[in-house]
Amino acid sequence: MICIKDLILKLQARVRYYGYLYYSLNTSRISDSRYDFLVEKLRFLEKKYHNLLLNKDSPTLTIGAPVIIGLKKCQHITPMLSLNHVFDIHNYLKFDKKIKDFLKDKYISFCCELKIDGLALNLIYKKGILLKAITRGDGMIGEDVTNTVRMISSIPRQLQGINIPNKLEVRGEIFMLKSEFIRFNNEASRSHAKVFSNTRNAAAGLLRQKTIKNHIVKNLMFCCHGYGYYPRYTNSCNHYGRLKQLHCWGLPISGYNSILESHLDILDFYKKIKNIRNFLNFDIDGIVIKVNSIVLQHKLGFMSRAPRWAIAFKFFDQEKTSKVLKVIYQVGRTGVITPIAKIDPICISGVIIKSVSLYNFREIEKLDICIGDFVKIKRSGDVIPKIINVIKGYRSKTIKKIIVPTFCPVCKSVLKIDCRYSKIRCVQGLKCKEQLKKSLYYFCSKNGLNIYGLGFKIISKLVDNNFIKKFSDVFNLDSNLLVRLSDVGKKLANKIINSINQSKEITLSKFLCALGIKEIGSIKSDIIAKHFLSINNLINSTFQDFCSLKGIGFKAAHNLFNFINEESNKNSIIGLSKTLNISLYNTHYNITKADSNPFFQKNVVISGSLSSFSRIEVINLIKKMGGRVMSNVSIATNYIIVGVNPGQKFYKSKELNIKILLEHCFLDIVKTFYIDKKF
Ligand code: IVH
């Protein structure tokens, strides 16, 4: 036994010594594989003879795998700030102007850098030796990742050169190369280990891991882009100079850092970097522009969490890679089943994305997408995220095909495949709880009866607990039930019930619109109501009757006829017609010539969306002011109200020389003639 004890202690000393050479002095006397062998041997012996209790101070606790390290919290010497960011030229120019106005100088030098998409890291060096490596955390306190960082080859354990300060805080980005990421994931997938969805997640996962995998961590990269505590006696008085000094001491810095003055040169730098972005072997998400002079940086100072002297100019129209974890099926209001890809969460332009719609099965086929695939996701402008393509090079053997569902995920009925529209539908109508919930939500929303406070959450609970089985059940609710069931207070419950009671007075047109039939919006509902005059007439009409209506196309007629003749819908409509007081005109709709305003007896068309009102609110306002809302532009049109993203109607109105009202003009009219005069 004495022999074994000696052997273990000697081996510990050897591993400690080689580890010191390797991790602290950045040199080695033996090959990596020999070192790994010694560590493994030591670990084996310590485990086998654990009764000797020799592993208390063993180097196996701080190096190599599998050592569990709890990530301790650790304070930065100086706070680690973040960056304010802009996404467009306009806002970048605002930053540039602010700086120049504040400093009262047109000629300011900026250090322009790449914004590497990794994790911020703070390295504390004492007398040139790496003492601590801390993640950003909340900016004041981060996690101690020193043991892991000591293994990263691109981070020196000891600084080289002259004038090395006693104490130094180095800030930079830790990241994984794209090529390394592919290699790492391929290996992980072969051995059924965890694969990461992008380089940033991979770097974060490896850096913060509890079980240190020496050979993997070693290949993480580091790029220094700043400093925290930096002694004044070092003679670099600008940011660029300081980075170069850090480089002389052995820290890696980016070769793309550039000193630029004019905003035109900076915009050129931005464009150039954006163009080469895909050719770089690491991910970046923008550029960082920093005032170069340290004196001017001090003059400009900080805001709460970011300096005034720097800005991240991010790439907006951004693509990111993530992994499809699973596919779920969503039942829409009209029964259409939409496949939704659940992905490993990613952040694109400041928004966390966890789900992406796959639209339909034709799209799935077109993309040739499987569960487990890596996909490129794009979020252009302010719109919904979209999968652009599958990265076939990352595809592993463990991927699974996306199966077309046979049963509705909610009501379990057999789904119907609609080949013409490549859509799959649940044809149970309002018998399917999900369709009932969504239809009810629409029915009660601003587009429908405009019932105050009855949101999707409350409706869901009411449906799930069978208090609402059909639309007309809404009118039998009482406030006690709402309080009991849905965590709403008594006051709100009373308000909801009052609003429900008020909504019982409704016009036929509004009622039709509230049903949420596809393509039957407010304008078409008006046409239908004026023609059929009552619910009774409506439900007894034929498809031909609907088709012959002016302003109602084939598709709309088809949707209307199908909806009304679906059994559960028909029963619901009949039930509602008994509960509600459906009239042809609104009793408050009382306009005389004396009230005239620009819209009185005029034909108005709306194109694009307005930021102040929903479409239905605009229509109602115009109607209340005595105007007529038309769906299409013709020579009979008097006004066109134009919002954001106007379409064909707008261009046609220009050709016909129709008076255009932009949103603010429309608002002025509404204010003057509707709100102020209490129309
Ligand atoms: S400077 C006080 N420069 O971006 C200035 N940050 O969104 C602090 N980043 O937390 C940061 N590349 O992790 C700076 N060239 C660069 C950068 C950079 C990437 C990261 C950094 C920071 C985050 C802010």
Side-chain angles (χ1 to χ4, degrees):
M1 271 306 175
I2 298 287
C3 272
I4 288 295
K5 191 176 169 186
D6 274 354
L7 180 69
I8 293 176
L9 289 175
K10 267 190 190 154
L11 197 51
Q12 282 180 349
R14 277 181 80 192
V15 169
R16 201 175 286 120
Y17 173 67
Y18 291 130
Y20 165 75
L21 291 180
Y22 183 78
Y23 294 116
S24 296
L25 303 180
N26 207 10
T27 55
S28 63
R29 298 250 171 91
I30 54 171
S31 69
D32 282 6
S33 54
R34 176 81 187 141
Y35 177 74
D36 288 344
F37 169 77
L38 292 179
V39 174
E40 273 318 302
K41 186 173 164 189
L42 177 59
R43 197 166 285 128
F44 171 79
L45 291 172
E46 282 174 350
K47 201 172 165 196
K48 188 165 176 193
Y49 299 101
H50 64 275
N51 53 334
L52 294 177
L53 299 173
L54 289 173
N55 59 351
K56 254 197 324 192
D57 303 313
S58 169
T60 54
L61 291 176
T62 49
I63 46 152
V67 182
I68 304 297
I69 49 158
L71 293 176
K72 279 187 297 172
K73 300 277 179 234
C74 203
Q75 189 157 5
H76 305 294
I77 302 176
T78 52
M80 274 184 96
L81 296 165
S82 186
L83 284 170
N84 286 326
H85 57 251
V86 293
F87 282 107
D88 54 49
I89 297 178
H90 171 72
N91 281 308
Y92 154 65
L93 290 175
K94 259 168 102 178
F95 161 82
D96 185 69
K97 185 171 176 324
K98 242 190 197 168
I99 299 257
K100 288 174 181 167
D101 285 354
F102 184 87
L103 297 174
K104 297 190 178 66
D105 192 349
K106 273 196 241 160
Y107 305 100
I108 310 283
S109 287
F110 291 94
C111 180
C112 298
E113 302 168 10
L114 304 189
K115 188 168 184 315
I116 300 170
D117 196 7
L119 291 114
L121 192 66
N122 188 25
L123 304 173
I124 300 177
Y125 285 91
K126 285 251 167 87
K127 293 193 168 68
I129 303 276
L130 176 65
L131 185 79
K132 281 256 172 292
I134 315 165
T135 61
R136 183 174 177 275
D138 62 4
M140 306 299 277
I141 295 175
E143 282 169 328
D144 185 339
V145 285
T146 317
N147 286 328
T148 317
V149 166
R150 282 213 181 102
M151 294 173 194
I152 300 173
S153 345
S154 52
I155 297 181
R157 260 73 59 181
Q158 182 161 33
L159 302 178
Q160 310 145 17
I162 51 165
N163 289 336
I164 292 169
N166 241 341
K167 189 166 74 177
L168 178 71
E169 246 182 334
V170 177
R171 306 267 159 91
E173 211 68 7
I174 195 122
F175 59 99
M176 189 184 256
L177 290 178
K178 290 179 188 170
S179 52
E180 178 64 14
F181 171 72
I182 298 174
R183 201 192 57 75
F184 173 80
N185 265 356
N186 279 342
E187 215 164 86
S189 127
R190 244 179 272 130
S191 54
H192 301 284
K194 179 179 164 63
V195 287
F196 290 105
S197 49
N198 53 50
T199 52
R200 191 176 190 282
N201 284 358
L206 293 181
L207 189 67
R208 301 184 62 255
Q209 66 187 324
K210 298 261 165 70
T211 312
I212 305 170
K213 295 201 181 72
N214 178 8
H215 61 288
I216 302 169
V217 174
K218 211 164 73 177
N219 296 332
L220 286 180
M221 304 300 282
F222 182 72
C223 177
C224 169
H225 52 56
Y227 29 83
Y229 179 82
Y230 192 99
R232 275 173 203 274
Y233 70 82
T234 39
N235 50 13
S236 333
C237 56
N238 62 56
H239 176 75
Y240 187 75
R242 286 189 174 184
L243 289 186
K244 279 191 135 180
Q245 175 62 78
L246 292 176
H247 187 52
C248 288
W249 288 330
L251 286 148
I253 62 167
S254 163
Y256 288 92
N257 297 346
S258 308
I259 295 295
L260 300 168
E261 227 173 57
S262 97
H263 62 272
L264 293 175
D265 289 342
I266 294 178
L267 287 173
D268 266 354
F269 179 81
Y270 173 82
K271 277 185 213 148
K272 189 184 103 191
I273 300 299
K274 197 172 176 187
N275 287 339
I276 60 162
R277 179 187 186 187
N278 291 333
F279 302 105
L280 298 174
N281 195 9
F282 50 91
D283 283 314
I284 58 168
D285 58 352
I287 62 164
V288 183
I289 304 155
K290 299 172 181 171
V291 169
N292 193 33
S293 150
I294 305 289
V295 174
L296 296 185
Q297 283 187 3
H298 284 308
K299 266 194 187 168
L300 285 156
F302 298 87
M303 280 167 277
S304 59
R305 50 172 274 285
R308 280 202 192 86
W309 44 262
I311 198 96
F313 189 173
K314 295 223 216 173
F315 303 134
F316 193 86
D317 198 6
Q318 214 182 24
E319 290 173 16
K320 274 207 178 163
T321 305
S322 185
K323 190 184 173 200
V324 177
L325 303 175
K326 63 177 178 178
V327 171
I328 59 155
Y329 301 99
Q330 222 168 52
V331 187
R333 182 160 54 89
T334 55
V336 173
I337 306 286
T338 308
I340 309 282
K342 290 282 177 191
I343 57 159
D344 218 355
I346 42 161
C347 182
I348 305 187
S349 311
V351 175
I352 304 276
I353 296 161
K354 296 177 185 164
S355 312
V356 187
S357 174
L358 293 167
Y359 302 105
N360 53 46
F361 285 87
R362 197 184 284 170
E363 181 75 7
I364 292 178
E365 246 173 57
K366 203 174 90 192
L367 286 169
D368 182 21
I369 187 169
C370 292
I371 297 165
D373 265 338
F374 284 89
V375 288
K376 272 241 171 317
I377 294 166
K378 188 174 180 157
R379 197 178 149 254
S380 315
D382 56 349
V383 286
I384 308 143
K386 192 177 166 21
I387 293 182
I388 316 161
N389 62 292
V390 173
I391 310 173
K392 293 277 170 62
Y394 289 6
R395 186 169 259 187
S396 79
K397 282 186 192 126
T398 51
I399 52 144
K400 278 192 221 137
K401 256 197 119 44
I402 300 169
I403 311 279
V404 180
T406 322
F407 302 104
C408 169
V410 178
C411 72
K412 313 289 177 222
S413 65
V414 176
L415 297 172
K416 201 171 156 194
I417 299 181
D418 184 343
C419 297
R420 229 173 65 163
Y421 302 105
S422 69
K423 279 182 181 154
I424 298 175
R425 286 172 190 279
C426 165
V427 287
Q428 293 302 301
L430 300 178
K431 279 184 264 166
C432 170
K433 276 195 173 169
E434 193 61 20
Q435 289 182 62
L436 176 61
K437 282 179 192 174
K438 287 190 175 145
S439 303
L440 258 174
Y441 175 64
Y442 186 84
F443 185 68
C444 300
S445 73
K446 274 194 182 161
N447 293 314
L449 271 66
N450 198 10
I451 297 174
Y452 177 85
L454 211 50
F456 192 74
K457 237 173 148 179
I458 302 181
I459 288 176
S460 266
K461 278 197 181 166
L462 290 166
V463 171
D464 286 338
N465 289 284
N466 294 324
F467 289 110
I468 297 184
K469 290 183 183 150
K470 50 189 186 309
F471 276 29
S472 53
D473 290 341
V474 171
F475 301 95
N476 298 327
L477 294 175
D478 69 70
S479 57
N480 291 336
L481 174 74
L482 287 179
V483 171
R484 216 174 56 230
L485 191 80
S486 46
D487 305 331
V488 297
K490 187 80 189 161
K491 219 168 153 191
L492 177 59
N494 284 337
K495 251 183 151 178
I496 295 174
I497 299 297
N498 274 345
S499 185
I500 290 176
N501 288 333
Q502 274 172 21
S503 73
K504 284 182 182 168
E505 295 280 328
I506 191 169
T507 63
L508 179 58
S509 163
K510 219 163 186 281
F511 173 75
L512 266 174
C513 188
L515 293 176
I517 306 166
K518 239 178 132 199
E519 290 191 38
I520 309 289
S522 150
I523 298 169
K524 292 197 175 89
S525 295
D526 247 7
I527 300 172
I528 300 163
K530 274 182 196 139
H531 183 86
F532 293 101
L533 305 175
S534 72
I535 289 276
N536 215 21
N537 288 343
L538 198 71
I539 51 181
N540 291 318
S541 301
T542 62
F543 177 54
Q544 270 69 33
D545 292 336
F546 293 144
C547 277
S548 60
L549 275 185
K550 204 168 165 225
I552 306 288
F554 178 84
K555 248 183 161 174
H558 182 265
N559 293 341
L560 178 63
F561 183 78
N562 279 357
F563 185 91
I564 290 178
N565 287 290
E566 201 284 318
E567 200 196 317
S568 60
N569 293 341
K570 193 179 228 164
N571 291 339
S572 197
I573 293 172
I574 294 170
L576 281 170
S577 70
K578 286 178 189 152
T579 317
L580 299 174
N581 185 10
I582 303 174
S583 60
L584 192 58
Y585 294 110
N586 191 336
T587 42
H588 310 298
Y589 191 71
N590 183 17
I591 297 158
T592 63
K593 253 206 157 130
D595 294 316
S596 35
N597 64 74
F599 295 133
F600 189 71
Q601 292 189 343
K602 292 285 189 296
N603 298 326
V604 186
V605 169
I606 308 157
S607 182
S609 47
L610 305 192
S611 53
S612 327
F613 298 111
S614 71
R615 175 62 64 113
I616 199 92
E617 282 171 329
V618 179
I619 293 171
N620 284 338
L621 276 170
I622 294 166
K623 278 189 198 163
K624 283 187 183 165
M625 292 167 80
R628 287 179 292 263
V629 182
M630 302 163 76
S631 357
N632 289 314
V633 173
S634 70
I635 42 164
T637 308
N638 300 99
Y639 293 104
I640 178 159
I641 299 171
V642 179
V644 180
N645 290 332
Q648 208 60 35
K649 290 186 233 175
F650 170 58
Y651 299 106
K652 191 164 174 202
S653 71
K654 275 183 127 182
E655 269 169 34
L656 296 176
N657 234 351
I658 286 158
K659 193 159 174 43
I660 293 170
L661 290 177
L662 295 177
E663 178 160 0
H664 67 274
C665 304
F666 173 66
L667 280 178
D668 283 347
I669 295 174
V670 171
K671 266 199 185 154
T672 321
F673 293 94
Y674 183 73
I675 300 174
D676 290 353
K677 295 203 171 155
K678 305 223 166 20
F679 199 75

